[in-house]
Amino acid sequence: MASSPSVKDALGDLNKDSFVSLLSKLIGESKHVQNNPPELIPEEDRIVRHVLDVLLPHSTTTGGPLIINHVAYHPNRGNLIVEYPGTEPHKILSFVGMHMDVVTANPSDWDFDPFSLSIDGDKLSGRGTTDCLGHVALVTELMKRLGDTKPKLKSTVVAVFIASEENSSITGVGVDALVKDGLLNKLKNGPLFWIDTADKQPCIGTGGMLPWKLHVTGKLFHSGLAHKVIFYALDALNQKRKSCSNLL
């Protein structure tokens, strides 16, 4: 029996020209998605519109397989969840964190216009090329290829493009609101890749926390043995520390 192809096998090589064309449009919007409130409030829907131009021809609304959900909690500041259904329920692979805002850029500090894509051979330059509009373009092309080729995959593939990653002073806009509304709950059923620039190489976790509490409940016994309760609690703490270390 033939096995289902992997995402990589199903996609093959992505179209470089299509990627660069989309990235050029996204970088052209970067001036309007700078995130530095209160002076600069990004309008991520400018990016969403370009992504939708690419993906809507492959969406369920036009007879394609992609399920697209545009979720906005503030005007002009949308998030986008794109899903390619797999064949096995509860199996999922997700790409999250491609944020559609950028850090600020002062054109006088640049040798070229930061708000337009510059191409020098294989070198692409412009505000957001690596953080993170280049990632937006790349994952958009991935989902477009899935919608176009329609491979039979076991796992559902989900891409979550988010708003407001570059500044946390205004809450309830991006991934925090999506999590609060339970829109990302099903992503827990499989591996999740956070697609953003860090130290320019794959890594497993760049930060986070695992909160937990230990409640110790004792029983009535001789007061001369109270130290044993402490030893039992310390042993439980030590075992918990070891289990957390194994996750890192």
Side-chain angles (χ1 to χ4, degrees):
M1 180 181 295
S3 59
S4 297
S6 66
V7 174
K8 179 181 178 182
D9 293 335
L11 292 175
D13 294 327
L14 297 179
N15 188 305
K16 176 181 176 181
D17 292 337
S18 179
F19 165 78
V20 173
S21 175
L22 174 59
L23 180 60
S24 180
K25 295 174 183 177
L26 301 185
I27 299 300
E29 301 284 6
S30 59
K31 181 179 181 179
H32 305 286
V33 292
Q34 297 177 94
N35 199 340
N36 188 29
E39 293 83 8
L40 296 172
I41 304 296
E43 301 174 24
E44 287 93 345
D45 275 349
R46 287 175 172 265
I47 303 299
V48 169
R49 283 194 289 270
H50 292 293
V51 175
L52 289 179
D53 284 344
V54 173
L55 297 183
L56 280 180
H58 307 284
S59 73
T60 54
T61 59
T62 56
L66 298 181
I67 302 169
I68 299 177
N69 186 13
H70 181 200
V71 184
Y73 298 97
H74 290 255
N76 303 316
R77 306 204 62 189
N79 304 270
L80 203 60
I81 303 174
V82 183
E83 178 177 327
Y84 179 80
T87 60
E88 295 191 8
H90 309 304
K91 292 194 69 172
I92 199 161
L93 168 69
S94 60
F95 301 98
V96 185
M98 300 78 67
H99 58 88
M100 297 177 287
D101 58 331
V102 301
V103 295
T104 56
N106 184 350
S108 63
D109 296 333
W110 292 57
D111 297 328
F112 51 88
D113 180 10
F115 303 126
S116 63
L117 182 66
S118 298
I119 304 175
D120 182 9
D122 290 335
K123 183 179 180 180
L124 305 176
S125 304
R127 171 54 82 220
T129 305
T130 59
D131 190 14
C132 182
L133 300 180
H135 299 69
V136 171
L138 178 64
V139 177
T140 298
E141 289 296 313
L142 183 149
M143 300 307 291
K144 172 188 174 184
R145 188 64 175 269
L146 286 174
D148 185 41
T149 59
K150 302 180 182 66
K152 188 176 181 181
L153 302 177
K154 292 181 179 179
S155 296
T156 292
V157 181
V158 179
V160 183
F161 304 88
I162 64 173
S164 196
E165 189 272 352
E166 292 291 0
N167 194 295
S168 60
S169 62
I170 301 177
T171 60
V173 178
V175 69
D176 56 336
L178 296 176
V179 170
K180 183 179 179 181
D181 280 354
L183 295 176
L184 305 185
N185 284 349
K186 66 181 180 181
L187 304 189
K188 299 175 183 179
N189 293 325
L192 182 154
F193 295 91
W194 186 267
I195 308 297
D196 194 1
T197 183
D199 53 1
K200 299 179 177 63
Q201 60 183 344
C203 58
I204 302 176
T206 55
M209 59 186 294
L210 294 171
W212 53 274
K213 295 180 180 180
L214 175 66
H215 297 276
V216 179
T217 303
K219 293 184 178 181
L220 183 64
F221 59 89
H222 196 280
S223 60
L225 301 177
H227 61 285
K228 288 191 175 183
V229 175
I230 298 176
F231 289 151
Y232 293 149
L234 290 177
D235 184 60
L237 285 171
N238 189 46
Q239 293 299 321
K240 186 66 176 180
R241 179 186 61 80
K242 290 181 179 178
S243 64
C244 289
S245 297
N246 290 335
L247 295 176
L248 303 178

